[in-house]
């Protein structure tokens, strides 16, 4: 259920309508002006077919300075953002050599492994010297080192499955695995807010794709019943295989998947469950083992567990964990395993070391401390934002916090105002999110100290007042909220600890 | 004041926005506001203003709903490139509430425009032509039909 203030909905539609009208008017005049300007591109096909670059040219480029800001340091809690300027109204951006130290609220640095770590980095450098930066070969040729075998065992143990397979790129893990898991004659039922890599893999598989309402197990059951009863399209034969694709934490909403209910529904109708834990592995759960641990689901009930190492482990790549037979099958069919270069050895070592830290096998309690801190930080930040009156979506315990903006003009306003006060946030606009639901997405790290979070809250509160996004304050208990907020302001000057 | 919206199952971002609440209201508000604007700029009679609004509405909706094909972004890898916006909404399901609403709006505008101009002739002809083209384009039988190959893919 999505709740939108009615006036924001109307004004957002109007704003986007205005942008589209202006964009089309400018395109019209551009076409007229270009008619007189001959080009020497006879015989070449156009790069973009139809209007597919309209959004990029006429909407995205207007606020390009809010996206893709180059950074010149490791994405730690404080990092250096490079200043850019534009001479042609943001159509092209030029870098300068000036940098500013900003608070990082955008990187997926859940456990703080993004910058140098006292346990991981020396071991990674040693591996770099021993093995070299790249294996220069796919796994089946010469790209399987002892490190890769160790990594796969480590990941399988960590996730709680008999075996695992590791790939060099997280997106490619989904895009290359789904087509070999299911093909024509199969049915894929995917959550409506799944990531582009899952959609890409599903489309590449050739199976029939159906979508169920986001995180609604009752609708999933309805879709399953309807499609099992009807069978394949036209022939009405029974489906060869049914796979349900869900994510652990949805990256744009910060919501946890309703995994126990979905697994129960899938068991009832004998469908396979494919869980993408890109954002939840290592970040949630008592020992960091993901949503299965957090929600109490037995890992044997989830048939294929997929995840990436980019978020909590400070590395790159993705993994698929499942039964031994599944992994054996993927080893000889998955194109990412057969043809793509295997994961870089230093990256593999970073994953192994960070898993050791998380499990406490390095001899210190840092892993448990990090996990406790990220939970505390996320819950603290979320509750403070809600108290201030922001529309925050997502569940407690999830490190991804989305502040709703709705109007498109508030996107660059929020981004630029926060940057002026040295806080860097990531904005999400159409088409990554639905048209009405533009948001600022904050990713909390275990390395954020209380002072950092309080500074961020202060800046966000000021900016929120300036651009008017404290929608929850406009309710009937506005006075009460304001009193509560004033009390918070007084208390937050006192550092806790 | 909040509105609730059921999350949609439409993956096509180009058309999914039409299923959220507030679209019908803003559509009617924009049409009404543009009538007021036309009336204040041109200083013509209300009937003439409604005819102008009806015409511009015809031009704009025909162009965007039934002429432009594909989506304005490249994320979906061009799977909708052969379909106009009208053919894309709600995955091609016909006779849904949104489609019925969008079919009724030009007819209502036509009735208002012809009533306020007292059914006088040059305007009546053009108005009737406009509404005829728009309503026929929205028939379920016209789904993916390209007359004489106009606007077909190459």
């Amino acid at each position: 259920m999505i709740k939108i203030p009615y006036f924001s909905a109307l004004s957002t539609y109007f704003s986007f309508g205005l942008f589209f009208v202006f964009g089309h008017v400018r395109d019209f005049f551009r076409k007229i002006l270009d008619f007189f300007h001959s080009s020497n591109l006879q015989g070449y096909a156009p790069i973009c077919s139809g209007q597919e670059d309209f959004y990029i040219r006429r909407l995205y480029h207007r606020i390009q300075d809010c996206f893709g800001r180059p950074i010149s340091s490791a994405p730690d809690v404080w990092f250096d953002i490079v200043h850019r300027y534009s001479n042609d109204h943001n159509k092209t951006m030029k870098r300068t050599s000036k940098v500013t130290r900003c608070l990082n609220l955008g990187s997926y640095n859940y456990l703080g492994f993004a910058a140098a770590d006292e346990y991981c980095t020396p071991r990674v450098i040693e591996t770099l010297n021993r093995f070299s930066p790249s294996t220069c070969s796919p796994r089946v040729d010469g790209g399987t080192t002892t490190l890769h075998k160790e990594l796969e065992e480590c990941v399988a143990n960590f996730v709680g499955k008999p075996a695992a397979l590791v790939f060099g790129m997280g997106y490619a893990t989904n895009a290359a695995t789904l087509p070999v898991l299911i093909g024509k004659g199969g049915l894929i039922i995917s959550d409506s807010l799944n990531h582009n890599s899952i959609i890409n893999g599903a489309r590449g598989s050739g199976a029939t794709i159906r979508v169920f309402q986001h995180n609604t197990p009752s609708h999933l059951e309805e879709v399953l019943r309807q499609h099992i009863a009807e069978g394949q399209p036209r022939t009405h034969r029974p489906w060869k295989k049914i796979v349900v694709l869900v994510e652990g934490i949805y990256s744009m909403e910060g919501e946890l998947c309703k995994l126990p209910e979905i697994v129960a529904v899938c068991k009832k109708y004998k469908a396979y469950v494919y869980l993408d834990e890109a954002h939840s592995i290592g970040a949630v759960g008592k020992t960091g083992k993901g949503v299965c641990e957090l929600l109490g689901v037995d890992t044997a009930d989830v048939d294929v567990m997929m995840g990436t190492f980019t978020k909590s482990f400070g590395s790159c790549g993705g993994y698929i964990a499942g039964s031994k037979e599944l992994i054996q099958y993927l080893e000889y069919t998955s194109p990412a395993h057969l043809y793509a270069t295997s994961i870089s050895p230093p990256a593999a070592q970073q994953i192994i070391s960070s898993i050791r830290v998380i499990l406490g096998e390095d001899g210190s309690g840092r892993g448990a401390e990090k996990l406790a801190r990220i939970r505390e930080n996320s819950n603290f930040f979320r509750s403070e934002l809600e108290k201030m009156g922001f529309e925050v979506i997502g569940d407690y315990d999830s490190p991804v916090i989305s502040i709703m903006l709705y109007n498109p003009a508030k996107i660059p306003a929020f981004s630029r105002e926060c940057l002026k006060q040295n806080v860097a946030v990531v904005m999400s606009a159409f088409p990554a999110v639905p048209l009405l639901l533009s948001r600022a997405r904050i990713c909390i790290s275990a390395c954020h100290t209380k002072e950092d979070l309080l500074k961020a809250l202060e800046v966000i509160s000021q900016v929120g007042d300036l651009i008017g996004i404290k929608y929850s304050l406009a309710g009937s208990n506005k006075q009460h909220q304001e009193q509560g907020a004033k009390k918070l302001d007084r208390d937050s000057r006192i550092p806790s600890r | 004041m909040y509105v609730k919206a059921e999350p949609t199952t439409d993956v096509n971002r180009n058309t999914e926005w039409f299923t959220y609440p507030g679209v019908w209201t803003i559509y009617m508000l924009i049409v009404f506001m543009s009538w007021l604007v036309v009336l204040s700029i041109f200083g013509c009679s209300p009937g003439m203003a409604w005819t102008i609004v009806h015409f511009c509405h015809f031009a704009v909706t025909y162009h965007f709903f039934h002429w432009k094909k594909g989506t304005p972004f490249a994320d979906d890898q061009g799977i909708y490139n052969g379909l106009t916006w009208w053919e894309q909404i709600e995955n091609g399901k016909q006779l849904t509430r949104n489609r019925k609403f969008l079919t009724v709006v030009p007819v209502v505008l036509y009735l208002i425009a012809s009533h306020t101009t007292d059914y006088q002739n040059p305007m009546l002809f053009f108005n009737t032509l406009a509404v005829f083209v728009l309503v026929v384009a929205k028939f379920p039988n016209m789904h993916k039909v390209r007359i004489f190959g106009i606007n077909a893919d190459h």
Side-chain angles (χ1 to χ4, degrees):
Chain A
M1 259 316 154
I2 312 163
K3 254 177 30 177
I4 314 171
Y6 196 53
F7 182 68
S8 296
L10 294 182
S11 53
T12 311
Y13 281 126
F14 181 70
S15 310
F16 271 105
L18 207 62
F19 281 131
F20 271 85
V21 163
F22 269 85
H24 279 287
V25 165
R26 288 175 108 150
D27 275 354
F28 177 68
F29 281 109
R30 172 58 46 194
K31 238 201 296 208
I32 294 183
L33 289 175
D34 277 348
F35 189 73
F36 298 115
H37 195 267
S38 71
S39 66
N40 50 357
L41 294 174
Q42 281 298 343
Y44 283 93
I47 290 179
C48 300
S49 60
Q51 285 270 302
E52 66 181 21
D53 60 342
F54 177 80
Y55 176 77
I56 300 275
R57 276 180 302 111
R58 295 301 176 196
L59 275 86
Y60 178 81
H61 275 335
R62 293 172 78 115
I63 53 172
Q64 213 190 117
D65 62 307
C66 303
F67 301 102
R69 294 186 183 132
I71 65 176
S72 67
S73 72
D76 200 5
V77 171
W78 286 87
F79 64 163
D80 296 326
I81 292 194
V82 175
H83 284 238
R84 293 185 294 173
Y85 67 92
S86 175
N87 291 331
D88 48 6
H89 303 289
N90 278 354
K91 212 162 108 176
T92 54
M93 310 281 309
K94 298 201 199 340
R95 281 193 332 238
T96 61
S97 47
K98 188 159 166 270
V99 293
T100 329
R101 196 119 192 114
C102 296
L103 179 62
N104 186 356
L105 291 179
S107 292
Y108 303 136
N109 183 15
Y110 300 137
L111 295 181
F113 287 114
D117 184 80
E118 57 190 21
Y119 181 82
C120 301
T121 310
R123 284 168 179 74
V124 167
I125 296 179
E126 191 197 311
T127 308
L128 180 64
N129 286 327
R130 185 172 161 215
F131 281 103
S132 90
S134 167
T135 56
C136 302
S137 176
R139 287 289 297 269
V140 289
D141 282 347
T144 304
T145 61
T146 48
L147 207 57
H148 291 85
K149 284 295 173 200
E150 191 188 338
L151 174 60
E152 286 176 352
E153 262 175 51
C154 198
V155 167
N157 269 338
F158 184 70
V159 164
K161 280 289 204 183
L165 195 58
V166 168
F167 302 89
M169 185 179 158
Y171 189 103
T173 310
N174 271 328
T177 305
L178 283 167
V180 292
L181 283 184
I182 187 168
K184 200 154 169 302
L187 175 66
I188 291 182
I189 308 186
S190 132
D191 190 289
S192 68
L193 293 178
N194 269 341
H195 188 254
N196 194 273
S197 57
I198 303 180
I199 299 181
N200 200 335
R203 284 193 184 144
S205 68
T208 309
I209 307 178
R210 291 288 175 264
V211 171
F212 71 95
Q213 269 176 21
H214 174 61
N215 234 358
T216 316
S218 55
H219 192 246
L220 170 64
E221 182 161 0
E222 209 182 292
V223 171
L224 268 171
R225 286 178 72 97
Q226 185 192 357
H227 284 88
I228 293 177
E230 286 177 356
Q232 296 185 30
R234 286 178 303 126
T235 58
H236 297 292
R237 294 203 192 126
W239 296 100
K240 293 208 181 116
K241 197 182 303 195
I242 304 184
V243 178
V244 173
L245 309 175
V246 288
E247 287 188 35
I249 291 184
Y250 290 91
S251 57
M252 283 300 166
E253 283 71 32
E255 281 171 9
L256 294 166
C257 171
K258 291 196 179 130
L259 198 57
E261 293 89 343
I262 291 183
V263 164
V265 168
C266 291
K267 264 196 181 159
K268 188 167 156 196
Y269 293 97
K270 304 220 175 43
Y272 294 109
V273 179
Y274 181 106
L275 176 66
D276 177 341
E277 287 208 85
H279 285 267
S280 50
I281 190 74
V284 293
K286 215 151 106 5
T287 54
K289 298 201 174 153
V291 272
C292 290
E293 189 184 10
L294 184 70
L295 300 175
V297 173
D298 187 7
T299 54
D301 287 337
V302 178
D303 304 288
V304 186
M305 293 176 76
M306 177 264 174
T308 60
F309 302 118
T310 352
K311 284 88 184 175
S312 307
F313 303 99
S315 181
C316 65
Y319 68 86
I320 297 267
S323 63
K324 283 206 169 38
E325 293 85 14
L326 171 72
I327 300 301
Q328 239 174 16
Y329 170 74
L330 285 178
E331 276 175 4
Y332 65 80
T333 49
S334 173
H337 193 259
L338 299 172
Y339 307 116
T341 311
S342 57
I343 186 171
S344 157
Q349 180 60 45
Q350 164 73 23
I351 304 166
I352 298 175
S353 309
S354 55
I355 290 185
R356 290 225 176 94
V357 172
I358 295 175
L359 291 176
E361 286 169 14
D362 63 327
S364 74
R366 282 197 313 138
E369 197 190 313
K370 279 181 196 280
L371 286 164
R373 261 220 308 270
I374 186 175
R375 239 186 76 223
E376 268 169 43
N377 285 352
S378 325
N379 290 341
F380 169 70
F381 206 77
R382 192 184 292 275
S383 59
E384 290 303 315
L385 283 177
E386 281 177 355
K387 267 191 237 165
M388 283 188 213
F390 288 101
E391 284 273 332
V392 176
I393 57 176
D395 297 327
Y396 274 86
D397 285 347
S398 147
V400 176
I401 301 175
S402 287
I403 303 177
M404 299 307 291
L405 301 170
Y406 305 118
N407 293 86
K410 297 186 178 172
I411 301 170
F414 193 82
S415 182
R416 290 169 190 160
E417 288 300 320
C418 280
L419 189 63
K420 276 190 207 158
Q421 307 204 34
N422 292 344
V423 169
V425 279
V426 164
M427 318 306 292
S428 308
F430 182 76
V433 291
L435 191 81
L436 290 181
L437 306 174
S438 315
R439 63 200 71 173
R441 182 187 63 182
I442 295 179
C443 294
I444 299 291
S445 161
C447 287
H448 278 125
T449 60
K450 206 56 171 251
E451 287 77 37
D452 296 331
L453 293 182
L454 289 172
K455 172 184 160 75
L457 283 167
E458 197 185 308
V459 168
I460 292 179
S461 180
Q462 266 173 27
V463 174
D465 276 326
L466 190 63
I467 63 180
I469 50 177
K470 293 190 176 173
Y471 297 105
S472 304
L473 283 185
S476 54
N477 48 349
K478 177 173 180 171
Q479 225 177 9
H480 186 256
Q481 293 268 22
E482 273 179 340
Q483 283 176 2
K486 283 205 189 83
K487 193 159 169 289
L488 164 71
D489 273 323
R490 270 210 323 269
D491 289 344
S492 67
R493 301 273 181 265
I494 309 165
S496 59
R497 278 274 193 113
Chain B
M1 191 204 7
Y2 281 89
V3 272
K4 284 209 196 306
E6 283 246 336
T8 65
T9 55
D10 194 353
V11 272
N12 183 1
R13 292 266 187 233
N14 188 27
T15 60
E16 159 221 50
W17 57 274
F18 208 76
T19 58
Y20 283 90
V23 198
W24 292 13
T25 315
I26 197 69
Y27 189 1
M28 295 191 283
L29 274 179
I30 289 179
V31 167
F32 179 68
M33 290 300 170
S34 54
W35 175 68
L36 286 178
V37 165
V38 165
L39 203 50
S40 18
I41 293 183
F42 289 118
C44 49
S45 68
M48 201 57 198
W50 274 118
T51 309
I52 295 177
V53 165
H54 181 223
F55 244 28
C56 295
H57 175 262
F58 161 66
V60 166
T61 54
Y62 188 77
H63 181 75
F64 286 113
F65 291 178
H66 301 283
W67 186 264
K68 284 208 111 14
K69 297 193 291 189
T71 51
F73 36 78
D75 292 355
D76 51 15
Q77 298 167 346
I79 54 178
Y80 303 110
N81 273 357
L83 297 177
T84 61
W85 190 85
W86 182 256
E87 289 159 1
Q88 287 174 35
I89 53 174
E90 286 158 338
N91 275 319
K93 210 165 95 163
Q94 299 298 325
L95 298 177
T96 59
R97 285 189 73 206
N98 280 332
R99 286 181 187 244
K100 288 182 190 160
F101 172 74
L102 288 175
T103 317
V104 162
V105 169
V107 174
V108 167
L109 269 183
Y110 168 68
L111 290 174
I112 298 178
S114 27
H115 173 78
T116 48
T117 57
D118 285 329
Y119 301 91
Q120 278 167 10
N121 225 326
M123 282 82 73
L124 184 66
F125 174 67
F126 290 120
N127 277 341
T128 313
L129 192 60
V131 82
F132 183 70
V133 168
L134 272 186
V135 172
V136 166
K138 295 182 163 73
F139 278 169
N141 306 61
M142 292 295 280
H143 185 65
K144 292 201 202 164
V145 167
R146 306 270 181 261
I147 307 178
F148 300 131
I150 305 175
N151 205 17
D153 305 324
H154 32 96

